[in-house]
Amino acid sequence: MTSQHRGRFWDGSGKPVFTLAYVLLLALPCMGFLPNFWSRVLTLSWNSHTHQHITEQAILNVTMETLRGIKKYQGNAEEQTRLGRGFWRAVGEVVKSNAAMDFLNSTRSDPVYHFDSERVDSAIGLLRQFWAQTLLSVRAKEYQSARHSLGQLFHSLQDFYSHSNWVEMGQRFIYLHLLQPEEPAIPVAAEETPTCMECFSATCRDNLLPRMTNTQRDTQLLTTGYFNTFPSKPHGKCSHGGILDGSRYMGAKGGINKDSTSPLFSPHHYLHMEASRLAMEATLSVLRDIRDTVGRKTFLRLFSVKQVPALVFVIDTTGSMFEEITAARYRAHSIIQSRAGSPGQLGTFLLVPFHDPEIGPVYETDDPNQFMQHMENLMALGGGDEPEMCLSAVQLALTHSPPLSEIFVFTDASPKDAHLFDVVKALALEKQSKVTFLLTEDPNYTSESRGRKRRKKRRRRRRELLSPDRFSLYSSLSSLSGGMTIFTTNSDIRSVSAIVEDNTAVDKVTLLHVESAGELMSSHSFRVDGSVKDVTLHVTGLLTECVLTSPSDQSQSLLSQQGPLAELERFEGLYRISLLSPTQPGQWTLRAKSDGHLAFHVIGDSSVDFLYYFATVTNETHPGLARVEGSPVAGVPAFLVLAVTGLAPDEEASFSHVTLLGADGESLQQVKLNSSSSSSSSYSVEELVGRVDSVPVSPFCVRLTGRDRRGNKLERVSAEMVQPTRVQIQVLSVPRLVPGHSTMVAFDILNHGPARLFSLTADDDCGYLHKRGPHRFHVAEQGSVRDQVDLLTPATARSGATVTLTLTVRALDSPDSNYAVTYLTVIPPDPDTSPPSCSAARVQSTCPSVCNESSWSASLVVSDRGRSGLAALQLQSGEGILTLFHSPPPTEDSLAEDQQQAHRDKATSGGHHHHHHHHHKARLENGDPPLNISEWAPGSSQPLWAKYTSSCCSAQAELLVWDAAGNMKRCHLTSGQQRRIRDKSTETSGAGRITLTAMVFSLLLWSFLL
């Protein structure tokens, strides 16, 4: 759809689809800001702001703000296009976690997760847990876990403004106390205190009692609406409200929610925009606090901004692997050299060596020199007998690598750990990572039927005859993940490894991914549009004939002639075909014949790509599309939701349908698409949705079809194969892991077929599980079974670490199988959640009308309110100088001399400021990195004294203070008549301020110490 259709759901005639929405209304209650775009269809509130919209917009805004803060980026519209597919997947993970709070059995009806039923204090405690967990995960570089807890945090935070009377009290700013315990709190109405009056209409105006809308802070009370029948609603309390809230008929009748613009669902619908504005401000504030706490670079890593593909090698280091290791080193060096010319584009490097029985360790780094050193240290030693622990190493690589990775496995041995296949398959599909195997072993070495020369390499010792299909698990894994399996030789491995560089270049898109078998001529087509450059075809197998035909119907026999269309490089096991430039746009055809199995993979350079997931309409407590976890259920309807990424803001492209393609490239079903973007803003992502009438029973991939603004066809293909099934696993909750304690993870097995036996296997990457299985159980026809696994977290577990729990279920009488991957975070048993404090002592200001003729200063005491101790301090903004002291500062005259000396030092150093680490003080300016207080001031549990001095032309400054637990405090310094220190967010929120008592105490403390 073109941009004017964004934000609405349309049928093929261009008319809004209301019929389906009305049919579903009767079964769909509403609670919280609506989860996602589909919710607006169900509630007929097209202009409502959903959790999805608020979350996406906030992340995009702070990301662009962060990029603009880096000098080399100008923050123009083109940058939105170049944020990358990885960015939108990362945003999708946060949105998914946010929406799941409305869909999961364990959270959807719990008032604590939604600020319902006046459970405000418990909800605030949970909110701060989410914040602490997010920071722990980010610091541990466990970004997927961080995105999960961040989505949960956003959901509860956003719900506060929709479900409480905060807006009705006339509050124009966010409630700081939610995440900052030192800020003033507004008490919650007692259980016996009535809060609402009766309301007998869909729209409830002035139904809150006068005290609940009081603008006088000293007499204000907070309340939130009760939803349905649990917990029971005391008489006179407010309901959530809306036509599907069971408590709305209990006194006091009516409700106060501001979830949507529809009076049918939101009695306070007329305040929806104000509630969503505050929810947006609160979400932005959290993101900025994260950025300023962990730093810009780490913040951008959290959301995979402009991340190039990770380079992930899994390498067999047994004695026969010398040539393979050498080839991998060569490719790694070549890739690093090619990326060196693009600052910030080096990416992540990950190496997992394996050698029966040893696996690992995992070498993960952002430093290319360090990675190459690890590669140089690899030695091909020992080994001998097949098989090896290859899948265990692939599991490690998948666990530690980011989503959307390309993983390359170098080995000449079959897997010894075949029992891990389902686990590895689950991880590859969940992360949408491709696994490619480069095998220097002929599976048919016992036969000369293929007429190939035996390898001259030293063969492994074999105690028994090995099966020719012993590599079939590799082929299956590469096929379903979108990778390739290449059987080559030692002499060709260096050339064949060029596939590594081809697939890890920036902005690679898939145009064709298909396999064929048999001796008949097969024909496969792919489409090149104007945005695609440098098209490369990879063909594995043994070709006997291959003809390429261009859109202008010009043909070239690739095996027998050179021609104007393409260049062919032929190696053992791989044909690499490069289309010559300039490449004609349009449909290309490749006809090929072989005496065996062939696989075709066509890639090109383009920023335009897509992400997708399957979803079903929820019919529980929240209207919306609930994402299907694992594989979709075969033979039933489902929705396919796509996000097209990389479109330039001024590029008008329309997308009409997707085609579900079978393994041989045959069309299984065509699905019409409609635009359903969650926002009307100028995104570089277009959201589309289509209804699949019946999910195919056989594996398939997804091909997206559209047209650019010139009317030329545009196609993209998802390389991974969707595995439809008739069994599901639904994890009921994602608990936290506490060192020294056991944790239970509950889940349901849903059987969508006849009564039968199933086998369940559980696996985790840290060895915390009590039992791994497999164990068998019976499930009735269309029935379900609830089960659980138990994990024991050792007392030595590192806080912030992530444990990847993978559950796989398989029917014993059919190919039906499915999986669930859950990320569990280790948290300390009693975390410090209290941030540092800044206490005002004195503000001196003699600023005249001509600002450059005078200066102002502010003195303060910085201390930690918790038990972790001060860790770091930074001057975030302001043109003055901040001087720190171990003890109360000296007289004004001596301090002035110090400031003058600092300015002289700055002038003589060419404008670059250096820290002065004297025995009693340190100085900071805006732009200096954070000062490590533990290095400068041993005994950081003690308070520090600070004085800020600035020209009157710069009237404000902001100081950031961290404790060792990662809690951050913003201290806002202001000249003029206010003469106080206040939180920056106080200025924007008006909800928190240092009390007079605190001011007097600080002044007395300072005077006493002087």
Side-chain angles (χ1 to χ4, degrees):
M1 285 291 173
T2 54
S3 57
Q4 66 264 30
H5 288 165
R6 292 185 180 183
R8 302 195 69 181
F9 188 84
W10 303 81
D11 63 12
S13 65
K15 299 178 182 179
V17 177
F18 293 117
T19 306
L20 179 60
Y22 278 124
V23 170
L24 293 168
L25 282 178
L26 297 178
L28 292 172
C30 175
M31 182 175 163
F33 276 116
L34 303 177
N36 50 37
F37 66 88
W38 186 253
S39 312
R40 299 182 306 183
V41 178
L42 298 177
T43 59
L44 310 182
S45 54
W46 305 107
N47 58 342
S48 293
H49 288 171
T50 64
H51 281 295
Q52 178 180 354
H53 163 79
I54 295 169
T55 302
E56 287 178 346
Q57 190 70 59
I59 295 174
L60 180 63
N61 287 351
V62 177
T63 298
M64 299 305 297
E65 181 184 289
T66 304
L67 289 172
R68 284 192 292 268
I70 302 174
K71 291 182 179 179
K72 60 185 175 182
Y73 297 114
Q74 299 303 314
N76 53 30
E78 175 67 16
E79 284 198 359
Q80 285 195 30
T81 307
R82 309 299 296 181
L83 289 173
R85 184 168 175 248
F87 169 78
W88 291 109
R89 176 183 161 110
V91 172
E93 289 179 13
V94 180
V95 170
K96 166 189 169 184
S97 175
N98 186 325
M101 298 276 276
D102 283 339
F103 302 140
L104 288 174
N105 290 334
S106 58
T107 59
R108 66 189 178 204
S109 299
D110 189 335
V112 175
Y113 288 92
H114 307 281
F115 275 94
D116 286 329
S117 307
E118 295 187 321
R119 301 300 194 265
V120 175
D121 291 339
S122 298
I124 289 176
L126 188 65
L127 206 59
R128 292 172 185 170
Q129 285 184 30
F130 289 146
W131 166 259
Q133 185 175 333
T134 300
L135 282 186
L136 273 174
S137 296
V138 172
R139 284 199 166 91
K141 297 184 178 181
E142 300 285 3
Y143 298 122
Q144 277 192 283
S145 293
R147 293 191 285 266
H148 176 76
S149 55
L150 187 60
Q152 293 176 308
L153 187 159
F154 284 160
H155 187 99
S156 294
L157 182 67
Q158 292 159 5
D159 271 358
F160 170 79
Y161 297 97
S162 176
H163 295 179
S164 72
N165 62 325
W166 184 260
V167 174
E168 288 85 348
M169 285 193 293
Q171 299 284 2
R172 298 284 299 165
F173 308 107
I174 63 175
Y175 186 26
L176 294 178
H177 180 71
L178 294 178
L179 284 169
Q180 299 179 33
E182 77 279 8
E183 294 296 339
I186 296 177
V188 182
E191 185 175 348
E192 65 275 7
T193 302
T195 56
C196 266
M197 297 181 286
E198 302 284 356
C199 171
F200 300 99
S201 61
T203 298
C204 292
R205 295 184 185 271
D206 302 322
N207 62 324
L208 281 158
L209 291 173
R211 188 178 180 186
M212 309 312 297
T213 58
N214 196 334
T215 58
Q216 297 299 315
R217 184 175 183 84
D218 293 341
T219 58
Q220 288 175 331
L221 287 176
L222 273 175
T223 187
T224 64
Y226 283 73
F227 185 79
N228 278 337
T229 58
F230 179 82
S232 60
K233 172 186 164 183
H235 184 76
K237 290 293 187 182
C238 301
S239 286
H240 180 83
I243 62 173
L244 297 171
D245 174 16
S247 75
R248 75 188 186 281
Y249 293 125
M250 306 173 188
K253 297 180 177 66
I256 63 171
N257 92 71
K258 297 161 281 293
D259 295 342
S260 73
T261 57
S262 168
L264 295 175
F265 292 89
S266 300
H268 284 201
H269 61 92
Y270 52 91
L271 295 174
H272 169 77
M273 289 303 176
E274 180 63 14
S276 65
R277 182 188 69 80
L278 289 171
M280 173 69 78
E281 285 298 323
T283 306
L284 290 168
S285 178
V286 167
L287 288 166
R288 289 172 181 141
D289 282 350
I290 291 174
R291 177 192 63 196
D292 292 338
T293 298
V294 303
R296 289 175 176 171
K297 180 180 178 182
T298 300
F299 178 83
L300 296 177
R301 286 289 302 275
L302 170 62
F303 292 108
S304 299
V305 178
K306 300 176 182 286
Q307 288 296 307
V308 299
L311 182 59
V312 185
F313 283 159
V314 177
I315 301 181
D316 182 347
T317 58
T318 48
S320 57
M321 291 294 295
F322 175 80
E323 290 88 350
E324 293 87 336
I325 294 173
T326 302
R329 285 188 191 129
Y330 173 80
R331 289 302 165 191
H333 180 74
S334 178
I335 290 170
I336 290 169
Q337 289 296 108
S338 66
R339 294 181 180 180
S342 303
Q345 293 290 304
L346 290 173
T348 297
F349 303 92
L350 195 140
L351 169 65
V352 184
F354 67 96
H355 186 307
D356 189 22
E358 294 86 9
I359 309 158
V362 177
Y363 299 109
E364 184 177 1
T365 179
D366 298 331
D367 184 346
N369 294 325
Q370 191 177 70
F371 179 73
M372 284 308 303
Q373 187 59 54
H374 291 315
M375 292 292 293
E376 293 297 332
N377 291 340
L378 292 180
M379 298 185 68
L381 294 173
D385 295 338
E386 279 204 33
E388 305 288 358
M389 303 289 283
C390 183
L391 293 183
S392 298
V394 175
Q395 179 187 10
L396 272 181
L398 284 164
T399 301
H400 288 268
S401 59
L404 305 177
S405 289
E406 299 265 0
I407 298 173
F408 299 94
V409 184
F410 293 80
T411 186
D412 60 358
S414 55
K416 187 176 188 177
D417 41 11
H419 64 281
L420 287 176
F421 177 78
D422 284 343
V423 172
V424 173
K425 168 186 168 182
L427 290 170
L429 292 175
E430 194 278 331
K431 288 201 168 187
Q432 293 179 284
S433 291
K434 302 174 184 176
V435 185
T436 292
F437 291 89
L438 293 90
L439 300 169
T440 49
E441 181 68 63
D442 186 347
N444 297 305
Y445 73 92
T446 57
S447 169
E448 297 296 331
S449 61
R450 295 174 67 181
R452 296 184 180 179
K453 187 188 301 183
R454 286 181 176 271
R455 292 181 179 79
K456 296 180 180 179
K457 68 186 288 183
R458 182 179 65 84
R459 293 202 172 276
R460 298 171 182 256
R461 298 184 302 274
R462 298 182 176 85
R463 297 176 181 171
E464 58 182 317
L465 188 64
L466 298 175
S467 169
D469 65 353
R470 65 192 183 279
F471 297 108
S472 61
L473 292 183
Y474 296 161
S475 299
S476 297
L477 183 59
S478 64
S479 177
L480 65 89
S481 69
M484 306 186 83
T485 296
I486 304 170
F487 293 97
T488 187
T489 62
N490 276 9
S491 58
D492 277 354
I493 184 61
R494 179 163 169 166
S495 299
V496 167
S497 65
I499 197 172
V500 177
E501 292 191 60
D502 292 342
N503 285 287
T504 56
V506 179
D507 290 335
K508 284 295 180 184
V509 297
T510 303
L511 305 178
L512 175 70
H513 185 81
V514 67
E515 299 182 13
S516 64
E519 298 182 1
L520 297 177
M521 178 75 77
S522 61
S523 179
H524 305 286
S525 62
F526 59 92
R527 188 169 294 276
V528 177
D529 59 85
S531 71
V532 178
K533 312 295 179 188
D534 299 330
V535 178
T536 304
L537 293 75
H538 297 136
V539 183
T540 63
L542 183 62
L543 289 169
T544 57
E545 188 176 345
C546 187
V547 178
L548 180 67
T549 304
S550 72
S552 60
D553 212 28
Q554 188 175 12
S555 295
Q556 177 184 343
S557 177
L558 295 173
L559 296 181
S560 59
Q561 68 182 82
Q562 292 185 344
L565 302 181
E567 241 177 35
L568 171 71
E569 296 176 88
R570 179 176 180 176
F571 313 110
E572 184 73 19
L574 175 70
Y575 300 84
R576 185 173 181 269
I577 304 164
S578 304
L579 299 193
L580 297 177
S581 184
T583 304
Q584 289 183 41
Q587 181 169 294
W588 291 71
T589 302
L590 188 69
R591 292 184 297 118
K593 189 176 182 181
S594 171
D595 61 355
H597 181 271
L598 290 175
F600 304 87
H601 190 61
V602 182
I603 56 176
D605 293 351
S606 173
S607 64
V608 181
D609 207 343
F610 74 101
L611 298 161
Y612 72 94
Y613 63 88
F614 286 89
T616 56
V617 175
T618 178
N619 59 358
E620 299 293 340
T621 59
H622 303 82
L625 283 181
R627 185 186 300 239
V628 172
E629 298 298 330
S631 299
V633 178
V636 300
F639 285 91
L640 183 60
V641 183
L642 297 94
V644 182
T645 64
L647 286 171
D650 60 346
E651 185 173 355
E652 294 183 8
S654 62
F655 300 90
S656 56
H657 65 277
V658 297
T659 307
L660 309 184
L661 302 172
D664 294 332
E666 74 278 15
S667 175
L668 301 178
Q669 189 177 153
Q670 191 174 102
V671 180
K672 291 183 178 180
L673 296 176
N674 297 276
S675 177
S676 302
S677 284
S678 62
S679 171
S680 59
S681 65
S682 179
Y683 269 178
S684 58
V685 62
E686 173 80 8
E687 193 164 52
L688 307 162
V689 64
R691 186 177 189 274
V692 182
D693 294 329
S694 178
V695 174
V697 296
S698 58
F700 61 88
C701 66
V702 178
R703 183 178 68 198
L704 172 66
T705 300
R707 292 186 182 274
D708 61 22
R709 58 184 172 186
R710 292 174 294 276
N712 298 319
K713 266 194 174 183
L714 183 154
E715 288 184 351
R716 296 292 183 272
V717 175
S718 69
E720 69 275 4
M721 299 295 290
V722 178
Q723 311 284 305
T725 183
R726 293 185 298 168
V727 61
Q728 284 181 290
I729 304 181
Q730 293 181 353
V731 176
L732 302 180
S733 63
V734 183
R736 302 170 183 86
L737 304 180
V738 180
H741 291 74
S742 291
T743 305
M744 180 267 289
V745 178
F747 54 90
D748 285 339
I749 305 293
L750 286 73
N751 177 21
H752 297 278
R756 49 191 169 159
L757 283 173
F758 289 92
S759 174
L760 176 80
T761 300
D763 194 273
D764 75 286
D765 60 327
C766 295
Y768 294 174
L769 278 166
H770 284 298
K771 292 183 179 179
R772 296 176 176 269
H775 74 271
R776 297 183 178 186
F777 53 92
H778 184 271
V779 185
E781 181 178 359
Q782 303 296 320
S784 65
V785 169
R786 181 158 295 181
D787 203 349
Q788 68 180 54
V789 293
D790 298 299
L791 301 96
L792 176 60
T793 307
T796 56
R798 176 175 56 90
S799 292
T802 293
V803 177
T804 303
L805 173 66
T806 307
L807 304 172
T808 59
V809 62
R810 179 176 290 278
L812 298 183
D813 65 344
S814 73
D816 283 339
S817 66
N818 214 328
Y819 63 90
V821 179
T822 300
Y823 302 98
L824 309 172
T825 302
V826 178
I827 64 166
D830 185 21
D832 176 6
T833 59
S834 300
S837 67
C838 303
S839 301
R842 184 164 44 204
V843 177
Q844 293 182 329
S845 176
T846 57
C847 291
S849 57
V850 182
C851 66
N852 59 4
E853 294 181 356
S854 189
S855 63
W856 66 278
S857 65
S859 301
L860 60 149
V861 180
V862 180
S863 60
D864 184 28
R865 298 164 57 93
R867 60 183 179 277
S868 302
L870 297 173
L873 187 146
Q874 183 179 35
L875 186 62
Q876 176 79 350
S877 65
E879 300 302 321
I881 295 176
L882 183 76
T883 307
L884 300 178
F885 303 87
H886 292 171
S887 55
T891 64
E892 299 298 322
D893 291 340
S894 63
L895 189 59
E897 292 177 5
D898 288 338
Q899 303 291 1
Q900 292 172 6
Q901 180 62 42
H903 284 294
R904 287 195 294 270
D905 292 344
K906 182 177 180 180
T908 57
S909 62
H912 183 75
H913 182 75
H914 299 277
H915 292 294
H916 293 261
H917 295 274
H918 301 310
H919 68 283
H920 67 292
K921 62 188 174 185
R923 296 190 184 93
L924 291 173
E925 288 188 37
N926 182 17
D928 287 344
L931 173 67
N932 188 332
I933 294 176
S934 61
E935 293 180 358
W936 177 74
S940 54
S941 59
Q942 300 301 313
L944 293 177
W945 286 260
K947 181 152 188 176
Y948 178 77
T949 303
S950 173
S951 163
C952 287
C953 296
S954 176
Q956 294 185 351
E958 185 179 63
L959 176 67
L960 305 184
V961 186
W962 294 273
D963 66 13
N967 301 302
M968 183 187 72
K969 172 69 177 177
R970 292 181 183 273
C971 307
H972 196 223
L973 290 72
T974 307
S975 70
Q977 297 180 358
Q978 296 177 13
R979 300 196 176 190
R980 71 183 180 208
I981 297 169
R982 62 187 181 182
D983 190 284
K984 179 181 179 182
S985 50
T986 304
E987 185 183 58
T988 59
S989 74
R993 55 184 60 85
I994 293 180
T995 63
L996 179 61
T997 304
M999 285 283 292
V1000 172
F1001 175 79
S1002 299
L1003 287 168
L1004 290 173
L1005 173 65
W1006 191 281
S1007 300
F1008 175 79
L1009 290 169
L1010 285 174

